[in-house]
Coordinates of all heavy atoms in Angstrom, one line a residue:
M26 N 10.8 19.9 -15.3 CA 10.6 18.7 -16.1 C 10.3 19.2 -17.5 O 9.3 19.9 -17.8 CB 9.4 17.8 -15.5 CG 9.2 16.7 -16.2 SD 10.4 15.4 -16.2 CE 10.7 15.4 -14.5
E27 N 11.1 18.7 -18.4 CA 10.9 19.1 -19.8 C 9.9 18.2 -20.4 O 9.1 18.7 -21.4 CB 12.2 19.1 -20.5 CG 13.1 20.2 -20.1 CD 14.4 20.2 -20.8 OE1 14.5 19.6 -22.0 OE2 15.4 20.9 -20.4
Q28 N 9.9 16.8 -20.3 CA 9.2 15.9 -20.9 C 8.8 14.7 -20.1 O 9.7 14.1 -19.5 CB 9.8 15.5 -22.3 CG 9.0 14.6 -23.2 CD 9.8 14.1 -24.3 OE1 10.9 14.2 -24.4 NE2 8.9 13.6 -25.3
L29 N 7.6 14.3 -20.1 CA 7.2 13.1 -19.4 C 6.4 12.3 -20.4 O 5.3 12.8 -20.9 CB 6.4 13.3 -18.1 CG 6.1 12.1 -17.3 CD1 6.3 12.4 -15.9 CD2 4.6 11.6 -17.7
K30 N 6.8 11.2 -20.8 CA 6.1 10.3 -21.7 C 5.5 9.2 -20.9 O 6.3 8.3 -20.2 CB 7.1 9.8 -22.8 CG 6.4 9.1 -23.8 CD 5.6 9.8 -24.9 CE 6.5 10.7 -25.8 NZ 5.7 11.4 -26.7
C31 N 4.2 9.0 -21.0 CA 3.5 7.9 -20.3 C 2.9 6.9 -21.4 O 2.1 7.3 -22.2 CB 2.4 8.4 -19.4 SG 1.5 7.1 -18.6
K32 N 3.3 5.7 -21.2 CA 2.9 4.6 -22.1 C 2.0 3.6 -21.5 O 1.8 2.5 -21.9 CB 4.0 4.0 -22.8 CG 4.7 4.9 -23.8 CD 5.7 4.2 -24.6 CE 6.3 5.3 -25.6 NZ 7.0 4.5 -26.7
T33 N 1.3 4.0 -20.3 CA 0.4 3.0 -19.7 C -0.9 3.0 -20.5 O -1.3 3.9 -21.1 CB 0.2 3.4 -18.3 OG1 -0.6 2.3 -17.7 CG2 -0.5 4.6 -18.2
V34 N -1.6 1.8 -20.6 CA -2.7 1.7 -21.3 C -4.0 1.7 -20.6 O -5.0 1.7 -21.2 CB -2.7 0.2 -22.0 CG1 -1.7 0.2 -23.1 CG2 -2.7 -0.9 -21.1
N35 N -4.0 2.0 -19.3 CA -5.3 2.0 -18.6 C -5.1 3.0 -17.4 O -5.1 2.6 -16.2 CB -5.7 0.6 -18.1 CG -7.1 0.7 -17.4 OD1 -7.8 1.7 -17.5 ND2 -7.4 -0.4 -16.7
C36 N -4.9 4.3 -17.7 CA -4.8 5.3 -16.6 C -5.6 6.5 -16.9 O -5.6 7.0 -18.0 CB -3.3 5.7 -16.4 SG -3.1 6.9 -15.1
Q37 N -6.3 7.0 -15.9 CA -7.2 8.1 -16.0 C -6.5 9.3 -16.5 O -7.0 10.3 -17.2 CB -8.0 8.4 -14.7 CG -9.0 9.5 -14.7 CD -10.1 9.1 -15.6 OE1 -10.6 7.9 -15.6 NE2 -10.7 10.0 -16.3
H38 N -5.1 9.5 -16.0 CA -4.3 10.6 -16.3 C -3.7 10.7 -17.7 O -3.2 11.6 -18.1 CB -3.2 10.8 -15.2 CG -3.7 11.0 -13.9 ND1 -4.6 12.1 -13.5 CD2 -3.5 10.2 -12.7 CE1 -4.9 11.9 -12.1 NE2 -4.2 10.9 -11.7
N39 N -3.6 9.5 -18.4 CA -3.0 9.4 -19.6 C -3.8 9.6 -20.8 O -4.9 9.1 -20.9 CB -2.4 7.9 -19.7 CG -1.5 7.8 -21.0 OD1 -1.2 8.7 -21.7 ND2 -1.1 6.5 -21.2
L40 N -3.4 10.5 -21.7 CA -4.1 10.9 -22.9 C -3.1 11.0 -24.0 O -2.3 12.0 -24.0 CB -4.9 12.1 -22.7 CG -6.0 12.4 -23.8 CD1 -6.9 11.2 -23.9 CD2 -6.7 13.6 -23.4
K41 N -3.0 10.1 -24.9 CA -2.0 10.1 -26.0 C -0.6 10.3 -25.5 O 0.1 11.1 -26.0 CB -2.4 11.3 -27.0 CG -3.7 11.1 -27.7 CD -3.8 12.2 -28.8 CE -5.0 11.9 -29.7 NZ -5.2 12.9 -30.8
N42 N -0.3 9.5 -24.6 CA 1.1 9.5 -24.0 C 1.5 10.7 -23.2 O 2.6 10.9 -22.8 CB 2.2 9.1 -25.0 CG 1.9 7.7 -25.5 OD1 1.5 6.9 -24.9 ND2 2.2 7.6 -26.9
H43 N 0.5 11.5 -22.9 CA 0.8 12.7 -22.0 C 0.2 12.6 -20.7 O -1.0 12.1 -20.7 CB 0.1 14.0 -22.7 CG 0.9 14.5 -23.8 ND1 1.9 15.4 -23.9 CD2 0.7 14.1 -25.2 CE1 2.2 15.6 -25.0 NE2 1.7 14.8 -26.0
C44 N 0.8 12.8 -19.6 CA 0.2 12.7 -18.3 C -0.5 14.0 -17.8 O 0.2 15.0 -17.9 CB 1.3 12.2 -17.3 SG 0.6 11.9 -15.7
N45 N -1.7 13.9 -17.5 CA -2.4 15.2 -17.1 C -2.5 15.3 -15.5 O -3.2 16.1 -15.0 CB -3.8 15.2 -17.7 CG -3.8 15.3 -19.1 OD1 -3.0 16.1 -19.7 ND2 -4.6 14.6 -19.8
A46 N -1.8 14.4 -14.8 CA -1.9 14.4 -13.3 C -1.2 15.8 -12.9 O -0.1 16.2 -13.4 CB -1.2 13.3 -12.7
P47 N -1.6 16.5 -11.8 CA -0.9 17.7 -11.4 C 0.4 17.4 -10.8 O 1.3 18.3 -10.9 CB -1.9 18.3 -10.4 CG -2.9 17.1 -10.0 CD -2.9 16.2 -11.1
V48 N 0.5 16.3 -10.1 CA 1.8 15.8 -9.4 C 1.9 14.4 -9.7 O 1.0 13.6 -9.5 CB 1.7 16.1 -7.9 CG1 3.0 15.6 -7.3 CG2 1.6 17.6 -7.6
I49 N 3.1 14.0 -10.2 CA 3.4 12.5 -10.4 C 4.1 12.0 -9.2 O 5.1 12.7 -8.6 CB 4.3 12.4 -11.6 CG1 3.7 13.0 -12.9 CG2 4.7 10.9 -11.9 CD1 2.5 12.3 -13.4
G50 N 3.8 10.9 -8.7 CA 4.4 10.2 -7.6 C 5.1 9.0 -8.0 O 4.5 8.1 -8.6
I51 N 6.3 8.8 -7.7 CA 7.0 7.5 -7.8 C 7.5 7.0 -6.5 O 8.0 7.7 -5.7 CB 8.3 7.7 -8.8 CG1 8.0 8.5 -10.1 CG2 9.0 6.4 -9.1 CD1 7.2 7.6 -11.1
D52 N 7.0 5.7 -6.3 CA 7.2 5.2 -4.9 C 8.7 4.6 -4.8 O 9.4 4.7 -5.7 CB 6.2 4.1 -4.5 CG 6.3 2.9 -5.3 OD1 7.2 2.5 -6.0 OD2 5.3 2.1 -5.1
E53 N 9.0 4.0 -3.6 CA 10.4 3.6 -3.3 C 10.8 2.5 -4.2 O 12.0 2.1 -4.5 CB 10.4 3.2 -1.9 CG 9.6 2.0 -1.4 CD 8.1 2.4 -1.1 OE1 7.8 3.6 -1.0 OE2 7.3 1.5 -1.0
K54 N 9.9 1.8 -4.9 CA 10.2 0.7 -5.8 C 10.2 1.1 -7.2 O 10.3 0.2 -8.1 CB 9.3 -0.6 -5.6 CG 9.4 -1.2 -4.2 CD 8.5 -2.4 -4.0 CE 8.8 -3.0 -2.7 NZ 8.0 -4.2 -2.5
G55 N 10.0 2.4 -7.5 CA 10.0 3.0 -8.9 C 8.6 2.8 -9.6 O 8.6 3.1 -10.8
R56 N 7.6 2.4 -8.8 CA 6.3 2.3 -9.4 C 5.6 3.7 -9.4 O 5.8 4.5 -8.6 CB 5.4 1.4 -8.7 CG 6.0 -0.1 -8.6 CD 5.1 -0.9 -7.8 NE 5.2 -0.5 -6.4 CZ 5.1 -1.2 -5.4 NH1 5.1 -2.6 -5.6 NH2 5.2 -0.8 -4.1
C57 N 4.8 3.8 -10.5 CA 4.0 5.1 -10.5 C 2.8 5.1 -9.6 O 1.8 4.2 -9.7 CB 3.5 5.3 -12.0 SG 2.4 6.8 -12.1
A58 N 2.9 5.9 -8.6 CA 1.9 5.9 -7.4 C 0.7 6.8 -7.8 O -0.4 6.8 -7.1 CB 2.5 6.4 -6.1
S59 N 0.8 7.5 -8.9 CA -0.3 8.4 -9.4 C -1.2 7.7 -10.3 O -2.2 8.3 -10.6 CB 0.4 9.6 -10.1 OG 1.3 10.2 -9.3
K60 N -1.0 6.5 -10.7 CA -1.8 5.9 -11.7 C -3.2 5.6 -11.1 O -3.4 5.1 -9.9 CB -1.2 4.5 -12.1 CG -2.1 3.8 -13.1 CD -1.4 2.5 -13.6 CE -2.4 1.8 -14.6 NZ -1.8 0.6 -15.2
L61 N -4.2 6.0 -11.8 CA -5.6 5.6 -11.5 C -6.3 5.0 -12.7 O -6.4 5.5 -13.8 CB -6.5 7.1 -11.3 CG -6.1 7.9 -10.2 CD1 -6.9 9.1 -10.1 CD2 -6.4 7.1 -8.8
K62 N -6.7 3.8 -12.5 CA -7.3 3.0 -13.5 C -8.7 3.7 -14.0 O -9.4 4.2 -13.1 CB -7.7 1.6 -13.1 CG -6.4 0.7 -12.9 CD -6.7 -0.7 -12.5 CE -5.4 -1.5 -12.4 NZ -5.7 -2.9 -12.1
R63 N -8.9 3.6 -15.3 CA -10.1 4.2 -15.8 C -11.2 3.2 -15.5 O -11.0 2.0 -15.6 CB -9.9 4.3 -17.4 CG -9.1 5.5 -17.8 CD -9.0 5.6 -19.3 NE -8.1 6.6 -19.7 CZ -8.5 7.9 -20.0 NH1 -9.8 8.1 -20.0 NH2 -7.7 8.8 -20.4
V64 N -12.5 3.7 -15.3 CA -13.6 2.9 -15.0 C -13.9 2.0 -16.2 O -14.2 0.9 -16.0 CB -14.8 3.8 -14.7 CG1 -16.1 3.0 -14.4 CG2 -14.5 4.8 -13.5
G65 N -13.8 2.5 -17.4 CA -14.1 1.7 -18.6 C -12.9 0.9 -19.1 O -12.9 0.3 -20.1
G66 N -11.8 1.1 -18.5 CA -10.5 0.3 -18.9 C -9.8 0.8 -20.0 O -10.1 2.0 -20.4
A67 N -9.1 0.0 -20.7 CA -8.3 0.4 -21.8 C -9.1 0.7 -23.0 O -8.8 1.5 -23.8 CB -7.3 -0.7 -22.2
L68 N -10.3 0.2 -23.1 CA -11.2 0.6 -24.3 C -11.7 2.0 -24.1 O -11.7 2.7 -25.1 CB -12.4 -0.5 -24.3 CG -13.5 -0.2 -25.4 CD1 -12.7 -0.4 -26.8 CD2 -14.6 -1.2 -25.3
E69 N -12.1 2.4 -22.9 CA -12.4 3.8 -22.7 C -11.2 4.8 -23.1 O -11.4 5.9 -23.6 CB -12.8 4.1 -21.3 CG -13.2 5.5 -21.1 CD -13.5 5.8 -19.5 OE1 -14.1 5.0 -18.9 OE2 -13.2 6.9 -19.1
Q70 N -10.0 4.4 -22.7 CA -8.8 5.2 -22.9 C -8.7 5.3 -24.5 O -8.4 6.4 -25.1 CB -7.6 4.6 -22.4 CG -6.4 5.5 -22.7 CD -5.2 5.1 -21.7 OE1 -5.3 4.6 -20.8 NE2 -4.1 5.6 -22.1
T71 N -8.9 4.3 -25.3 CA -8.8 4.3 -26.7 C -9.8 5.3 -27.3 O -9.4 6.1 -28.1 CB -9.1 3.0 -27.3 OG1 -8.1 2.0 -26.8 CG2 -9.0 3.0 -28.9
F72 N -11.1 5.3 -26.8 CA -12.0 6.3 -27.3 C -11.7 7.7 -26.9 O -11.9 8.5 -27.7 CB -13.5 5.9 -26.6 CG -14.1 4.6 -27.3 CD1 -14.6 3.7 -26.5 CD2 -14.0 4.4 -28.6 CE1 -15.2 2.5 -27.0 CE2 -14.5 3.2 -29.3 CZ -15.1 2.3 -28.4
A73 N -11.2 7.9 -25.7 CA -10.8 9.2 -25.1 C -9.7 9.8 -26.2 O -9.7 11.0 -26.5 CB -10.4 9.2 -23.8
E74 N -8.8 8.9 -26.6 CA -7.6 9.4 -27.4 C -8.1 9.7 -28.8 O -7.6 10.6 -29.4 CB -6.5 8.3 -27.3 CG -5.8 8.2 -26.0 CD -4.7 7.2 -26.0 OE1 -4.5 6.5 -27.1 OE2 -3.9 7.2 -24.9
L75 N -9.1 9.0 -29.2 CA -9.6 9.3 -30.6 C -10.3 10.7 -30.6 O -10.2 11.3 -31.7 CB -10.6 8.2 -31.1 CG -10.0 6.9 -31.4 CD1 -11.1 5.8 -31.6 CD2 -9.1 6.9 -32.6
E76 N -11.0 10.9 -29.4 CA -11.7 12.2 -29.4 C -10.8 13.5 -29.1 O -11.2 14.7 -29.3 CB -12.7 12.2 -28.4 CG -13.9 11.1 -28.7 CD -14.8 11.0 -27.7 OE1 -14.7 11.5 -26.6 OE2 -15.8 10.1 -27.9
A77 N -9.6 13.3 -28.5 CA -8.8 14.3 -28.0 C -8.1 15.0 -29.1 O -7.5 14.4 -30.0 CB -7.7 13.7 -26.9
A78 N -8.1 16.4 -29.0 CA -7.4 17.1 -30.0 C -5.9 17.3 -29.5 O -5.7 17.7 -28.2 CB -8.0 18.5 -30.3
D79 N -4.9 17.3 -30.3 CA -3.5 17.4 -29.9 C -3.2 18.8 -29.2 O -2.4 18.8 -28.3 CB -2.6 17.2 -31.0 CG -2.5 15.7 -31.5 OD1 -2.9 14.9 -30.7 OD2 -2.1 15.5 -32.6
E80 N -3.9 19.8 -29.7 CA -3.6 21.1 -29.1 C -4.0 21.4 -27.6 O -3.7 22.3 -26.9 CB -4.1 22.3 -30.0 CG -5.6 22.2 -30.2 CD -6.1 21.5 -31.4 OE1 -5.1 20.8 -32.1 OE2 -7.3 21.6 -31.8
F81 N -4.9 20.5 -27.1 CA -5.4 20.5 -25.8 C -4.6 19.6 -24.8 O -4.8 19.6 -23.6 CB -6.9 20.2 -25.7 CG -7.7 21.2 -26.4 CD1 -8.4 20.9 -27.5 CD2 -7.9 22.5 -25.9 CE1 -9.3 21.8 -28.2 CE2 -8.7 23.4 -26.5 CZ -9.3 23.1 -27.7
L82 N -3.6 18.9 -25.3 CA -2.7 18.1 -24.5 C -1.9 18.9 -23.6 O -1.2 19.8 -24.2 CB -2.0 17.1 -25.3 CG -2.9 16.0 -26.1 CD1 -2.0 15.2 -26.9 CD2 -3.7 15.2 -25.2
S83 N -1.8 18.7 -22.4 CA -0.9 19.5 -21.5 C 0.5 19.0 -21.5 O 0.8 17.8 -21.8 CB -1.4 19.5 -20.0 OG -1.4 18.1 -19.5
D84 N 1.4 19.9 -21.1 CA 2.9 19.4 -21.0 C 3.0 18.7 -19.7 O 2.1 18.6 -18.9 CB 3.8 20.8 -21.0 CG 3.8 21.4 -22.3 OD1 3.6 20.6 -23.3 OD2 4.0 22.7 -22.4
A85 N 4.2 18.1 -19.6 CA 4.5 17.4 -18.3 C 4.3 18.2 -17.1 O 4.6 19.4 -17.1 CB 5.9 16.8 -18.4
P86 N 3.9 17.6 -15.9 CA 3.8 18.4 -14.7 C 5.1 18.9 -14.2 O 6.2 18.4 -14.5 CB 3.2 17.4 -13.7 CG 3.6 16.1 -14.4 CD 3.7 16.3 -15.8
A87 N 5.1 20.0 -13.5 CA 6.3 20.6 -13.0 C 6.9 19.7 -11.9 O 8.2 19.8 -11.6 CB 6.1 22.0 -12.6
I88 N 6.1 19.0 -11.2 CA 6.6 18.3 -10.1 C 6.5 16.7 -10.2 O 5.4 16.3 -10.5 CB 5.9 18.7 -8.8 CG1 5.9 20.2 -8.5 CG2 6.2 17.9 -7.6 CD1 5.0 20.8 -7.5
V89 N 7.6 16.0 -10.0 CA 7.6 14.6 -9.9 C 8.2 14.3 -8.6 O 9.5 14.4 -8.5 CB 8.4 14.1 -11.2 CG1 8.5 12.5 -11.0 CG2 7.7 14.4 -12.5
Q90 N 7.4 13.9 -7.7 CA 7.9 13.4 -6.5 C 8.3 12.0 -6.5 O 7.6 11.0 -7.0 CB 6.8 13.5 -5.4 CG 6.3 14.9 -5.1 CD 5.2 15.0 -4.0 OE1 4.5 14.0 -3.9 NE2 5.1 16.1 -3.5
C91 N 9.6 11.7 -6.0 CA 10.2 10.5 -6.2 C 10.8 10.0 -4.7 O 11.5 10.7 -4.0 CB 11.3 10.5 -7.1 SG 12.2 9.0 -7.5
E92 N 10.4 8.8 -4.6 CA 10.9 8.1 -3.2 C 11.9 7.0 -3.4 O 12.4 6.4 -2.5 CB 9.6 7.5 -2.5 CG 8.6 8.5 -2.1 CD 8.9 9.5 -1.2 OE1 9.8 9.2 -0.3 OE2 8.4 10.7 -1.2
C93 N 12.2 6.7 -4.8 CA 13.1 5.6 -5.0 C 14.5 5.9 -5.0 O 14.9 7.1 -5.1 CB 12.7 4.9 -6.3 SG 13.0 5.8 -7.8
D94 N 15.5 4.9 -4.9 CA 16.9 5.0 -5.0 C 17.3 5.2 -6.5 O 17.3 4.3 -7.2 CB 17.5 3.8 -4.4 CG 19.1 3.8 -4.4 OD1 19.6 4.9 -4.4 OD2 19.6 2.8 -4.5
C95 N 17.5 6.5 -6.7 CA 17.8 6.8 -8.3 C 18.8 8.1 -8.3 O 18.7 8.9 -7.4 CB 16.5 7.1 -8.9 SG 16.7 7.7 -10.6
V96 N 19.6 8.1 -9.3 CA 20.6 9.1 -9.4 C 19.9 10.5 -9.7 O 20.4 11.6 -9.4 CB 21.6 8.9 -10.6 CG1 22.5 7.7 -10.2 CG2 20.9 8.8 -12.0
Y97 N 18.7 10.4 -10.2 CA 17.9 11.7 -10.5 C 17.2 12.2 -9.3 O 16.6 13.3 -9.4 CB 17.0 11.5 -11.7 CG 17.6 11.1 -12.9 CD1 17.4 9.8 -13.5 CD2 18.5 12.0 -13.5 CE1 18.0 9.6 -14.7 CE2 19.2 11.7 -14.8 CZ 19.0 10.4 -15.3 OH 19.5 10.1 -16.5
N98 N 17.1 11.5 -8.3 CA 16.3 11.9 -7.0 C 17.1 12.8 -6.2 O 18.1 12.4 -5.5 CB 15.9 10.6 -6.2 CG 15.0 10.8 -5.1 OD1 14.8 12.1 -4.7 ND2 14.5 9.8 -4.5
K99 N 16.7 14.0 -6.1 CA 17.3 15.1 -5.2 C 16.3 15.6 -4.3 O 15.4 16.3 -4.8 CB 17.9 16.2 -6.1 CG 18.9 15.7 -7.2 CD 20.2 15.1 -6.6 CE 21.1 14.7 -7.7 NZ 21.7 13.5 -7.6
D100 N 16.4 15.2 -3.1 CA 15.5 15.7 -2.0 C 14.0 15.4 -2.4 O 13.1 16.2 -2.3 CB 15.7 17.3 -1.8 CG 17.0 17.7 -1.3 OD1 17.5 16.9 -0.4 OD2 17.5 18.6 -1.7
R101 N 13.8 14.1 -2.8 CA 12.6 13.6 -3.2 C 11.9 14.2 -4.4 O 10.7 14.2 -4.5 CB 11.7 13.6 -1.9 CG 12.2 12.8 -0.8 CD 11.4 12.8 0.4 NE 10.0 12.5 0.2 CZ 9.1 12.9 1.1 NH1 9.4 13.6 2.2 NH2 7.8 12.7 0.8
R102 N 12.7 14.8 -5.2 CA 12.2 15.4 -6.4 C 13.0 15.0 -7.6 O 14.2 14.8 -7.5 CB 12.3 17.0 -6.5 CG 11.5 17.6 -5.4 CD 10.1 17.9 -5.9 NE 9.2 18.4 -5.0 CZ 8.8 19.6 -4.9 NH1 9.3 20.5 -5.6 NH2 8.0 20.1 -3.9
C103 N 12.3 14.6 -8.7 CA 13.0 14.1 -9.9 C 13.7 15.3 -10.6 O 13.1 16.2 -11.0 CB 12.0 13.3 -10.8 SG 13.1 12.7 -12.2
T104 N 15.0 15.1 -10.9 CA 15.7 16.1 -11.6 C 16.0 15.7 -13.2 O 16.7 16.5 -13.8 CB 17.1 16.4 -10.9 OG1 17.9 15.3 -10.9 CG2 16.8 17.0 -9.6
A105 N 15.6 14.6 -13.6 CA 15.8 14.2 -15.0 C 15.0 15.1 -15.9 O 13.9 15.7 -15.6 CB 15.3 12.7 -15.2
T106 N 15.7 15.4 -17.1 CA 15.1 16.2 -18.1 C 13.9 15.6 -18.9 O 13.0 16.4 -19.3 CB 16.1 16.8 -19.1 OG1 16.7 15.7 -19.7 CG2 17.1 17.6 -18.4
S107 N 13.9 14.3 -18.8 CA 12.7 13.5 -19.4 C 12.5 12.3 -18.7 O 13.5 11.7 -18.2 CB 13.0 13.4 -20.9 OG 14.0 12.5 -21.1
I108 N 11.3 11.8 -18.7 CA 11.0 10.6 -17.9 C 10.0 9.8 -18.8 O 9.1 10.3 -19.5 CB 10.1 10.9 -16.6 CG1 11.1 11.6 -15.6 CG2 9.7 9.6 -15.9 CD1 10.4 11.9 -14.3
L109 N 10.3 8.4 -18.8 CA 9.4 7.4 -19.5 C 8.8 6.6 -18.4 O 9.4 6.0 -17.6 CB 10.1 6.5 -20.4 CG 9.4 5.4 -21.1 CD1 8.2 6.0 -21.9 CD2 10.3 4.7 -21.9
V110 N 7.4 6.6 -18.4 CA 6.6 5.7 -17.4 C 5.9 4.8 -18.4 O 5.3 5.2 -19.4 CB 5.6 6.5 -16.6 CG1 4.7 5.6 -15.8 CG2 6.3 7.6 -15.8
Q111 N 6.1 3.4 -18.1 CA 5.4 2.4 -19.0 C 5.0 1.3 -18.1 O 5.5 1.1 -17.1 CB 6.4 2.0 -20.0 CG 7.7 1.4 -19.6 CD 8.6 1.1 -20.8 OE1 8.4 1.5 -21.8 NE2 9.7 0.4 -20.4
D112 N 4.1 0.4 -18.7 CA 3.6 -0.7 -18.1 C 4.6 -1.8 -18.1 O 5.3 -2.0 -19.1 CB 2.3 -1.2 -18.8 CG 1.0 -0.4 -18.5 OD1 1.1 0.3 -17.5 OD2 0.2 -0.3 -19.5
K113 N 4.8 -2.5 -17.1 CA 5.6 -3.7 -17.0 C 4.6 -4.9 -16.8 O 3.4 -4.7 -16.9 CB 6.6 -3.7 -15.8 CG 7.5 -2.4 -15.8 CD 8.7 -2.8 -16.5 CE 9.6 -1.6 -16.4 NZ 10.9 -1.8 -16.3
L114 N 5.1 -6.0 -16.5 CA 4.2 -7.1 -16.4 C 3.1 -7.0 -15.4 O 1.8 -7.3 -15.6 CB 5.0 -8.4 -16.0 CG 4.2 -9.8 -16.1 CD1 3.7 -10.0 -17.4 CD2 5.2 -10.9 -15.8
F115 N 3.4 -6.5 -14.1 CA 2.4 -6.4 -13.1 C 2.3 -5.0 -12.5 O 1.6 -4.8 -11.5 CB 2.8 -7.4 -11.8 CG 2.6 -8.9 -12.2 CD1 3.8 -9.6 -12.3 CD2 1.4 -9.4 -12.6 CE1 3.6 -10.9 -12.7 CE2 1.4 -10.8 -12.9 CZ 2.5 -11.5 -13.0
R116 N 2.9 -4.0 -13.1 CA 2.9 -2.6 -12.5 C 3.2 -1.7 -13.6 O 3.8 -2.1 -14.6 CB 3.8 -2.7 -11.4 CG 5.3 -2.8 -11.7 CD 6.2 -2.8 -10.4 NE 7.5 -2.8 -10.9 CZ 8.3 -3.9 -10.9 NH1 7.8 -5.0 -10.5 NH2 9.5 -3.8 -11.2
T117 N 3.1 -0.4 -13.2 CA 3.5 0.7 -14.1 C 4.7 1.3 -13.5 O 4.6 1.7 -12.2 CB 2.4 1.7 -14.2 OG1 1.2 1.0 -14.9 CG2 2.7 2.9 -15.1
S118 N 5.8 1.4 -14.1 CA 7.1 1.9 -13.5 C 7.8 3.0 -14.3 O 7.5 3.2 -15.4 CB 8.0 0.7 -13.4 OG 7.5 -0.3 -12.5
C119 N 8.7 3.7 -13.6 CA 9.5 4.6 -14.3 C 10.7 3.9 -15.0 O 11.4 3.3 -14.3 CB 10.0 5.7 -13.2 SG 11.2 6.8 -13.7
A120 N 10.7 3.9 -16.2 CA 11.8 3.3 -16.9 C 13.0 4.2 -17.1 O 14.1 3.7 -17.4 CB 11.3 3.1 -18.3
T121 N 13.0 5.3 -16.6 CA 14.2 6.3 -16.6 C 15.1 6.0 -15.4 O 16.2 6.5 -15.3 CB 13.7 7.7 -16.7 OG1 12.8 7.9 -17.7 CG2 14.8 8.7 -16.9
R122 N 14.5 5.4 -14.3 CA 15.3 5.2 -13.0 C 16.6 4.5 -13.2 O 16.8 3.5 -13.9 CB 14.4 4.2 -12.2 CG 15.0 3.9 -10.9 CD 14.1 2.9 -10.1 NE 14.8 2.7 -8.8 CZ 14.4 1.7 -8.0 NH1 13.4 1.0 -8.4 NH2 15.1 1.5 -6.8
L123 N 17.6 5.2 -12.7 CA 18.9 4.6 -12.7 C 19.4 4.5 -11.1 O 19.4 5.5 -10.5 CB 20.0 5.5 -13.3 CG 19.8 5.6 -14.9 CD1 20.8 6.7 -15.4 CD2 20.0 4.4 -15.6
K124 N 19.5 3.3 -10.7 CA 19.8 3.1 -9.2 C 21.2 3.8 -8.9 O 22.1 3.7 -9.7 CB 19.9 1.6 -8.9 CG 18.5 1.0 -8.9 CD 18.5 -0.4 -8.5 CE 17.1 -1.0 -8.5 NZ 17.2 -2.4 -8.0
D125 N 21.3 4.4 -7.7 CA 22.5 4.9 -7.3 C 23.6 4.0 -7.1 O 23.4 2.8 -6.7 CB 22.2 5.7 -5.9 CG 22.1 7.2 -6.0 OD1 22.7 7.7 -7.0 OD2 21.6 7.8 -5.1

């Protein structure tokens, strides 16, 4: 995985659009199964991002496990070179998903 961009506004793993989860999970409906809501919500995330130094942000995780019907899903692993995860109306989903 070369790049994973996360634009969710209330996730423990998201820091300045970088995902710090060791493994990303995408379920059969394309939703991010790895999302963990922050205890302090979106306001806490804003404060964390203000304090974070860019040089300490990690790169995208090497493993993205995927259960959905997608052209990039090969043996339950995502083979896309970049992924965008973002909030939708009621869920956080993989916006890179292309149905087979």
Side-chain angles (χ1 to χ4, degrees):
M26 178 66 47
E27 291 180 21
Q28 182 181 17
L29 186 136
K30 184 73 71 179
C31 180
K32 294 195 173 191
T33 187
V34 294
N35 186 13
C36 180
Q37 188 67 37
H38 300 299
N39 184 10
L40 192 59
K41 292 188 174 182
N42 296 327
H43 291 264
C44 183
N45 295 320
V48 176
I49 301 296
I51 304 295
D52 71 10
E53 63 278 349
K54 293 184 179 180
R56 296 178 297 216
C57 181
S59 306
K60 180 178 180 177
L61 291 175
K62 290 185 177 180
R63 288 180 183 265
V64 175
L68 184 60
E69 181 186 323
Q70 183 164 343
T71 301
F72 290 135
E74 289 182 357
L75 289 173
E76 295 174 356
D79 289 337
E80 58 268 11
F81 293 111
L82 297 175
S83 65
D84 290 334
I88 299 172
V89 177
Q90 293 178 335
C91 183
E92 302 292 332
C93 69
D94 179 26
C95 178
V96 297
Y97 300 116
N98 185 349
K99 304 293 184 227
D100 297 322
R101 297 175 52 199
R102 296 276 173 99
C103 182
T104 60
T106 56
S107 64
I108 296 177
L109 172 62
V110 176
Q111 62 187 9
D112 288 330
K113 302 269 179 139
L114 188 58
F115 295 110
R116 63 183 189 260
T117 300
S118 298
C119 176
T121 310
R122 178 185 181 189
L123 293 175
K124 291 184 182 181
D125 257 339

